[in-house]
Amino acid sequence: MARPLFLFLVSLLPVLAAILVYKLDKLDPVPYPVREPRQQVLVPKQNNRMLDGAEKIGVGLLLAPEDVAYDPKTEVIYTGCADGWIYRVILNDYAAAVAVEKWVNTGGRPLGIAHGFSGEILVADAFKGLLNISKDGKIEVLTDEAEGIKFKLTDALDIAPDGTVYFTEASYAYSLKEAHADFLEGRPHGRFMSYDPSTKETKVLVKDLHFSNGVAVSPDGGSVIFCETPMMICKRYYIEGTKKGSVEVFVDGLPGLPDNIRYDGEQRYWIALNVKTDKWWYLMQKYPVLRKIAGIVMKEGKWFEIVKGGGVISVDLNGKPQEYYHDPDAYLITSSIRIGDHIYCGSFVDPYIMRLNIRQKPAV
């Protein structure tokens, strides 16, 4: 009798240990808001193997080039990497001939990048805040707090025709190293803001956002598109006209988690989708207990290893999907821009920029 009891108690140990770990873990998830539509948008043209025929730019030199900002005057891409450096990527028809140059190290983690009107570069640095970098490489912190709250994860930005900088803070509660915890917790810690360079004033325009991310000013300068990554939605904030100050849905039900957004000058926005979403994410949104368990499993950054299926979706000026490039093996695509016949994609983990000729490998 004693032996079966002993074996039973031993068999309970892993269960008791798991319960203890669960109880002691600090993550306290809440349900995400229930929204409609729950169906994904329909995209008329797709390429579901975008890695086939794709080229790698700057292999081994660019450690996780998160955003890609193109300057058509110089034909140079600026990108910020995990080592703190902003690199200049001088394009060439041949991938092997593309030159990569170190430019400026922010001392932080540069994420979103935008070109100013006088040759300067503006940077959303996850650790430092909103930065201005002059043509000669001088770094100035424009702002690192709003409404008395220090930025913890400055994320993406763009510049309006009047010079106002619109940018997002993904979370005021979690840093970049803890970003997965923000997703799993499900609380709205994100903010969409503006910075006026003439008055040096920072305003919070929209708060209580779920991991607010990519930003793109509309070509007419009348509105700004920004996204909420875990909600699979991009929204439009009006900065001019009768709707000034209001927010409406731009595109919802995206087939992945949206990251950076860029306008290509040809009536298209390109939205990077860092990971494909399916029933698994809808279940995670609905049931906090699943995110609690996932948080325990995903400690120490292990979540990077399971997030694949990334891609890029193009939408027109009204948010209507046009093309969708994706691949089951694409790994945390965080930005994309069309330049001529190619799309260039940044990544939060890959040591290169991916380039795909969409004339040769079109979405059909």
Side-chain angles (χ1 to χ4, degrees):
M1 186 70 179
R3 181 175 175 78
L5 178 61
F6 173 75
L7 293 175
F8 173 71
L9 293 175
V10 170
S11 68
L12 285 179
L13 288 177
V15 177
L16 294 173
I19 293 173
L20 181 62
V21 170
Y22 182 91
K23 292 291 185 181
L24 292 177
D25 191 84
K26 294 180 180 180
L27 186 68
D28 183 26
V30 298
Y32 272 95
V34 176
R35 305 179 305 108
E36 296 295 341
R38 303 302 291 179
Q39 292 185 342
Q40 292 182 353
V41 294
L42 297 176
V43 189
K45 297 181 179 180
Q46 297 195 31
N47 174 343
N48 60 10
R49 288 288 178 180
M50 70 178 295
L51 296 184
D52 291 351
E55 300 173 289
K56 298 176 181 180
I57 304 294
V59 178
L61 300 175
L62 302 171
L63 180 58
E66 202 267 352
D67 194 12
V68 286
Y70 178 63
D71 180 4
K73 296 177 183 178
T74 60
E75 297 186 343
V76 172
I77 285 177
Y78 286 73
T79 186
C81 293
D83 55 8
W85 281 96
I86 294 175
Y87 290 83
R88 290 192 286 212
V89 182
I90 303 166
L91 301 183
N92 192 290
D93 289 339
Y94 300 97
V98 171
V100 176
E101 301 175 348
K102 283 183 176 179
W103 183 48
V104 174
N105 195 305
T106 67
R109 197 341 176 168
L111 296 177
I113 297 178
H115 290 279
F117 301 134
S118 301
E120 75 277 19
I121 298 294
L122 282 88
V123 178
D125 189 294
F127 304 136
K128 301 288 185 175
L130 187 64
L131 309 180
N132 182 91
I133 306 178
S134 64
K135 288 188 291 186
D136 60 1
K138 183 180 179 181
I139 300 175
E140 176 189 2
V141 178
L142 299 178
T143 179
D144 61 1
E145 66 174 66
E147 297 184 344
I149 301 175
K150 282 278 190 180
F151 300 161
K152 206 153 189 179
L153 209 176
T154 325
D155 200 337
L157 78 162
D158 201 2
I159 308 171
D162 67 356
T164 301
V165 183
Y166 292 91
F167 66 104
T168 53
E169 178 187 29
S171 175
Y172 61 77
Y174 292 97
S175 70
L176 182 63
K177 295 177 181 178
E178 307 162 319
H180 67 287
D182 193 271
F183 274 71
L184 296 174
E185 185 177 301
R187 288 184 171 83
H189 299 130
R191 300 187 288 179
F192 172 64
M193 294 174 277
S194 67
Y195 174 80
D196 186 336
S198 62
T199 64
K200 302 187 184 305
E201 182 182 11
T202 303
K203 290 183 180 179
V204 178
L205 303 176
V206 187
K207 58 180 64 175
D208 299 327
L209 298 170
H210 290 86
F211 208 88
S212 41
N213 208 322
V215 178
V217 175
S218 64
D220 64 2
S223 62
V224 185
I225 310 301
F226 68 90
C227 73
E228 289 184 84
T229 298
M231 304 303 289
M232 298 159 290
I233 190 172
C234 294
K235 296 178 178 179
R236 186 196 299 271
Y237 178 89
Y238 286 91
I239 56 179
E240 291 182 354
T242 58
K243 293 184 177 181
K244 183 177 179 179
S246 65
V247 181
E248 65 184 26
V249 172
F250 179 63
V251 59
D252 198 358
L254 290 166
L257 303 183
D259 207 296
N260 284 299
I261 309 168
R262 288 202 168 271
Y263 177 65
D264 67 0
E266 299 182 7
Q267 311 298 301
R268 293 284 187 273
Y269 292 100
W270 292 82
I271 306 170
L273 304 175
N274 56 45
V275 59
K276 183 178 176 63
T277 52
D278 211 328
K279 292 181 180 179
W280 66 270
W281 180 243
Y282 291 113
L283 289 172
M284 293 272 280
Q285 283 186 316
K286 188 174 181 180
Y287 299 108
V289 64
L290 296 180
R291 282 181 273 124
K292 174 88 170 184
I293 295 170
I296 295 170
V297 174
M298 294 178 181
K299 292 289 187 182
E300 306 300 330
K302 297 298 183 183
W303 63 289
F304 286 156
E305 299 173 3
I306 64 171
V307 285
K308 290 189 178 183
V312 182
I313 188 170
S314 72
V315 301
D316 66 16
L317 298 184
N318 296 312
K320 184 177 180 181
Q322 302 297 309
E323 302 164 297
Y324 180 26
Y325 295 85
H326 56 109
D327 196 287
D329 293 320
Y331 203 41
L332 278 177
I333 292 176
T334 50
S335 59
S336 180
I337 183 63
R338 179 172 180 172
I339 305 171
D341 291 341
H342 296 85
I343 53 173
Y344 291 77
C345 301
S347 169
F348 194 66
V349 291
D350 286 334
Y352 52 82
I353 291 173
M354 181 179 69
R355 179 170 75 178
L356 178 68
N357 188 317
I358 58 175
R359 293 291 185 192
Q360 297 177 0
K361 301 286 185 177
V364 293

